[in-house]
């Protein structure tokens, strides 16, 4: 959070707008410490002993959308600066266009974020998360702990100081090229059931348990044909499933063939 916080007590949206607009007028009182019937502000620097812990979570594939981050780019200048810098130095040549142009396309049929696959979304999502990490830290917030899920471990490595943002951009591009190879082609299926039930679905269909998201939610994987079989078997048992927009059999032994090339890619970074 920023150093000062303000709460507006309003009876309607128009009342809230009017009181927030007062922030930019001379009629608004000194914001350093004010308490009234309609406005409450107080300074906070995050150093209080009762400040709760802050956890940064970095996500993997499957949650991208057209126009991703464009609103945040309008509000958060350090995010924009970081993405422009990473695009100029690394990502433009990999993506074939400026990163911000790829993010700005809101048409699902043409958006590079939606149709570009792993080769695009891994470096794009990593860059966005590195940019948000940089911006949030500019407010003075520091994470108590970090968690990276799947390819979210790439930007997490930047947040903890293991790699620079430029190194992370290079690493995400190299990783994406290897992950998108034909040997790793497959699919992911979100199953709304216990991990043990998801494991049974996968094993009975010739697939794998990819990841556990919660006690009642897990992801299965395999070739596209196998994942289709898992979905049919789940439906026959009354288990809801949702396909995830990922074209690799992530977190399974079907990814083993790319381990060697990935180790070669990582040699420059370790």
């Amino acid at each position: 959070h920023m150093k000062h916080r303000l709460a507006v007590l309003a009876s309607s949206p128009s009342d809230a707008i009017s009181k927030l607009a007062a922030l930019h007028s001379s009629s608004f009182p000194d914001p350093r410490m004010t308490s009234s019937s309609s406005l409450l502000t107080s300074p906070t620097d995050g150093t209080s002993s009762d400040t709760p812990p802050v956890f940064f979570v970095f996500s993997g594939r499957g949650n991208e959308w057209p126009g991703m981050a464009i609103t945040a780019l309008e509000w958060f200048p350090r995010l924009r600066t970081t993405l422009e810098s990473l695009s100029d130095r690394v990502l433009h040549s990999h993506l074939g266009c400026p990163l911000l142009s790829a993010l700005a396309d809101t048409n699902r049929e043409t958006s590079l974020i939606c149709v570009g696959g792993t080769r695009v979304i891994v470096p794009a999502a990593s860059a966005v998360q590195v940019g948000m990490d940089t911006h949030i830290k500019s407010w003075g917030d520091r994470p108590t702990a970090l968690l990276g899920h799947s390819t979210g471990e790439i930007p997490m490595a930047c947040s903890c100081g293991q790699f620079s943002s430029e190194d992370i951009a290079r690493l995400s591009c190299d990783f994406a090229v290897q992950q998108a190879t034909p040997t790793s082609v497959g699919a992911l299926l979100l199953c709304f059931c216990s991990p043990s039930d998801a494991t049974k679905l996968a094993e009975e269909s010739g697939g794998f348990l990819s990841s556990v998201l919660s006690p009642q939610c897990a992801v299965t994987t395999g070739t596209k044909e196998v994942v289709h079989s898992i979905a049919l078997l789940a439906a026959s048992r009354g288990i809801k499933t949702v396909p995830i927009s990922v074209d690799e059999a992530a977190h399974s032994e079907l990814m083993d063939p790319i381990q060697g090339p990935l180790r070669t890619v990582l040699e420059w970074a370790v």
Side-chain angles (χ1 to χ4, degrees), residues 8-225:
V8 175
L9 307 181
S11 59
S12 65
S14 59
D15 186 29
I17 292 172
S18 174
K19 288 172 179 173
L20 287 172
L23 282 169
H24 302 285
S25 72
S26 58
S27 62
F28 185 74
D30 186 344
R32 287 177 295 180
M33 181 57 76
T34 300
S35 179
S36 69
S37 60
S38 60
L39 295 167
L40 299 171
T41 71
S42 63
T44 175
D45 59 7
T47 60
S48 171
S49 60
D50 62 354
T51 299
V54 176
F55 299 90
F56 286 6
V57 180
F58 299 83
S59 66
R61 286 284 316 275
N63 60 350
E64 60 272 5
W65 67 93
M68 180 177 70
I70 57 174
T71 301
L73 285 166
E74 296 177 3
W75 282 87
F76 304 140
R78 293 210 180 193
L79 170 63
R80 175 175 287 275
T81 300
T82 300
L83 295 193
E84 288 175 340
S85 176
L86 292 178
S87 179
D88 291 342
R89 288 183 291 167
V90 180
L91 297 177
H92 190 155
S93 60
H94 175 82
L95 298 175
C97 70
L99 174 59
L100 268 63
S101 297
L103 294 173
D105 188 350
T106 59
N107 187 328
R108 183 171 293 276
E109 301 300 321
T110 60
S111 170
L112 195 61
I113 299 300
C114 294
V115 302
T118 295
R119 188 178 182 279
V120 171
I121 190 55
V122 170
S126 294
V128 169
Q129 292 181 87
V130 166
M132 285 301 302
D133 176 78
T134 300
H135 192 89
I136 292 172
K137 287 177 178 175
S138 74
W139 294 340
D141 284 326
R142 293 295 183 272
T144 305
L146 303 168
L147 174 65
H149 175 251
S150 188
T151 53
E153 294 181 4
I154 298 175
M156 184 192 72
C158 179
S159 181
C160 70
Q162 186 173 359
F163 297 105
S164 68
S165 59
E166 185 171 346
D167 282 345
I168 286 299
R170 290 175 56 200
L171 178 59
S172 65
C173 291
D174 291 342
F175 179 85
V177 169
Q178 295 300 325
Q179 192 177 24
T181 59
T183 56
S184 63
V185 171
L188 295 177
L189 185 70
L190 181 63
C191 301
F192 292 91
C193 61
S194 68
S196 60
D197 286 342
T199 300
K200 292 176 182 177
L201 290 172
E203 291 179 346
E204 291 177 30
S205 304
F208 308 91
L209 180 70
S210 175
S211 57
V212 176
L213 305 184
S214 78
Q216 293 299 323
C217 187
V219 179
T220 56
T221 189
T223 64
K224 293 183 183 297
E225 294 76 17

